[in-house]
Amino acid sequence: MTIPFLDLAAQHRALEPELVEAVRRVFASSAFVLGPEVEAFERSFAAFCGAKHCVGTASGTAALTLLLQAHGIGPGDEVITAANTFIATAEAIVAAGAQPVLVDCREEDALIDPAKIEAAITPRTKAVIPVHLYGQPADLDAVRSVADRHHLLVFEDACQAHGALYKGRTAGSLADGAAFSFYPGKNLGACGDAGCVTTDDAAIARAVRQLRDHGSERKYHHDRIGWNERMDGIQGAILSVKLPYLPAWNARRAAIAAHYRSVLPPHIRPFALHPDRTSSHHLFVVRSERRSALQEHLRARGISTLIHYPVPIHLQPAFAHRGWQHGAFPVAEKLVSEILSLPLYPELKDEQVHAVCAAISSF
Ligand SMILES: *Cc1c(COP(=O)(O)O)cnc(C)c1O
C-alpha cells in the first residue's frame, strides 16, 4: 500500500460533475476575473466565518499584504509574528513595506507565545499576526490583552484554519481582520491560487477591494496605487462548490487525527490541543527525537511524510540581511529537528489510516 501525503485527485473525482458544471458557468459568462461567482463565494464564506465582509484575493499572501496596507501599515512600521510560520506571513509584512519582528512559539502547542510578545514591542510596532499553525487557533485572548495594552492591531493568519473555532467563534472573526489561503492543499482549496480577507470593518473591506484591483472601484479611475491581486471567477465558482463540504471534511480530519493520537507511543508526541478550541486539523504533526529514523520507517512502508517547516523564518537565507542569530528563537529551533507531518486528509480510506497507525506503533 502506498499512502501519498495528499490526494487531491480523490477529492476532485468525487466532486467532478459539480466542479465541471461550475467551470462551465464561468465559461458561459466569461467573467474570468472577479465577477458574480467570486461575489457569491465572498458572501457565503463571510457567513461561514461569522464575519461581515469577505474580499477574495489572488492568494493568502496577497490577502495578508492587502490587509496590512488597508490598515495603513507600511514603511517605518513593525509587525510581530511567529518565528515558526510559513515564509508567506513574514513576506507579506515585507511586501506591505513594513519590518517583520519575530516571537518564539510555545513548545507544547507550537503557537506564538503570548508571554514573549511584550518584549518584542517597540514604538514602531503597529500589529501582531498570530498564526493558527497546523489549524489550531492561537491564544487570541492572551495576544489581545498584550496588544490592547500597547494599542496594537491583531490580525489572524488563518491560512491553515478554515472552520477552526476559538471559544465557540470561528477563525476569521476573532480579531481585527484575517487572511485565508485557498491554495489547493489547504482544508478549503481552489484549483489554483486564491485567498481572501475577512473583516467586520466596511471601510477596510472597501480598501482591500480597491487594493486588489489597481486601487480602483470604477474601471480606469484609480483612487490609490494598488496591485493586481484579484480572485479568478473559476476559483470563486470552484470554492462555492467545495465550501458546503468543509464541515464534513474537517470532521473526518478530526476523526483520523484522534485515531492517530490513540496509537502514538510515548516517544512520539503530538502537540497539545486546547479544550477551548477546535482545530481544523490542517496538518497532523508529531515530535520525535529520532525524526529521520521515523520518517525512513514510514517511507519504507509506503507512507509519505513532510516537515512543516524545516527552517524557521529567522534562519532563512532570504532574511540573512536582518542579522537574526542562531539561538534567537530556541523553541522554534528545537522543534524543527523533531517535527514530522503525517498524511491527514478526508479522502484517506480506513485501511490507509490503519496502515499509518500500524506503522507508527511498530516504530
Ligand atoms: C498557505 C499559507 C500562507 C500563504 O498562502 P498562499 O495562498 O500560498 O499565498 C500564509 N500563511 C500560512 C500559515 C500558510 O499556511
Side-chain angles (χ1 to χ4, degrees), residues 2-352:
T2 65
I3 302 175
F5 188 75
L6 193 58
D7 187 359
L8 289 175
Q11 181 183 103
H12 294 138
R13 260 195 311 277
L15 300 181
E16 190 170 317
E18 284 181 84
L19 292 173
V20 168
E21 172 52 33
V23 172
R24 203 169 267 148
R25 275 200 317 270
V26 179
F27 271 89
S29 71
S30 296
F32 290 115
V33 179
L34 298 177
E37 295 287 345
V38 170
E39 286 164 26
F41 173 70
E42 287 173 339
R43 281 191 297 275
S44 33
F45 196 69
F48 176 83
C49 294
K52 289 206 180 98
H53 308 277
C54 167
V55 184
T57 58
S59 70
T61 310
L64 281 164
T65 307
L66 303 191
L67 180 59
L68 293 172
Q69 289 197 311
H71 281 89
I73 293 172
D77 297 333
E78 292 176 357
V79 177
I80 292 173
T81 194
N84 64 325
T85 181
F86 178 56
I87 188 84
T89 323
E91 273 179 329
I93 296 167
V94 175
Q99 288 279 359
V101 171
L102 302 177
V103 166
D104 211 350
C105 60
R106 280 193 307 214
E107 186 162 351
E108 66 268 26
D109 58 15
L111 299 170
I112 193 169
D113 188 342
K116 292 184 180 152
I117 292 175
E118 196 133 41
I121 295 172
T122 76
R124 294 166 181 260
T125 311
K126 288 294 185 311
V128 186
I129 309 182
V131 180
H132 304 331
L133 197 71
Y134 309 147
Q136 177 167 229
D139 190 347
L140 261 295
D141 283 353
V143 172
R144 173 60 79 189
S145 82
V146 188
D148 282 353
R149 278 203 296 282
H150 297 271
H151 310 290
L152 308 180
L153 294 159
V154 178
F155 302 121
E156 303 168 67
D157 182 337
C159 288
Q160 304 188 354
H162 318 72
L165 303 177
Y166 179 81
K167 300 186 176 174
R169 287 153 56 218
T170 308
S173 69
L174 305 176
D176 297 307
F180 287 88
S181 166
F182 305 115
Y183 180 76
K186 305 287 164 119
N187 290 36
L188 178 62
C191 295
D193 276 309
C196 77
V197 165
T198 56
T199 174
D200 283 340
D201 185 327
I204 294 298
R206 184 174 173 198
V208 175
R209 280 179 208 286
Q210 292 182 336
L211 285 166
R212 72 176 173 183
D213 194 14
H214 304 293
S216 135
E217 279 175 331
R218 210 153 43 100
K219 213 170 173 62
Y220 307 130
H221 294 265
H222 306 278
D223 300 314
R224 57 201 296 169
I225 299 294
W227 309 77
N228 178 355
E229 295 289 6
R230 302 169 297 215
M231 185 188 280
D232 286 344
I234 285 178
Q235 305 311 340
I238 285 170
L239 289 166
S240 289
V241 168
K242 290 191 181 187
L243 179 58
Y245 295 95
L246 180 59
W249 286 341
N250 280 356
R252 171 74 179 154
R253 285 174 181 269
I256 297 168
H259 219 77
Y260 287 169
R261 275 174 185 265
S262 71
V263 301
L264 293 179
H267 57 93
I268 304 180
R269 287 164 297 159
F271 286 107
L273 291 177
H274 300 284
D276 60 356
R277 297 167 228 182
T278 304
S279 177
S280 70
H281 298 282
H282 175 56
L283 293 169
F284 189 85
V285 179
V286 294
R287 296 172 61 189
S288 167
E289 273 147 35
R290 296 169 55 220
R291 192 259 311 278
S292 305
L294 174 61
Q295 187 165 34
E296 175 53 28
H297 176 85
L298 295 172
R299 196 205 55 76
R301 284 153 186 79
I303 298 162
S304 300
T305 58
L306 288 173
I307 296 166
H308 297 90
Y309 297 90
V311 182
I313 301 301
H314 66 292
L315 302 180
Q316 294 285 358
F319 281 112
H321 62 283
R322 288 297 307 272
W324 282 316
Q325 299 294 316
H326 271 271
F329 305 101
V331 180
E333 285 175 42
K334 179 178 185 200
L335 291 180
V336 293
S337 63
E338 299 182 353
I339 50 177
L340 188 67
S341 308
L342 307 181
L344 178 65
Y345 43 97
E347 296 77 20
L348 275 174
K349 297 186 193 73
D350 286 343
E351 60 263 34
Q352 292 177 308

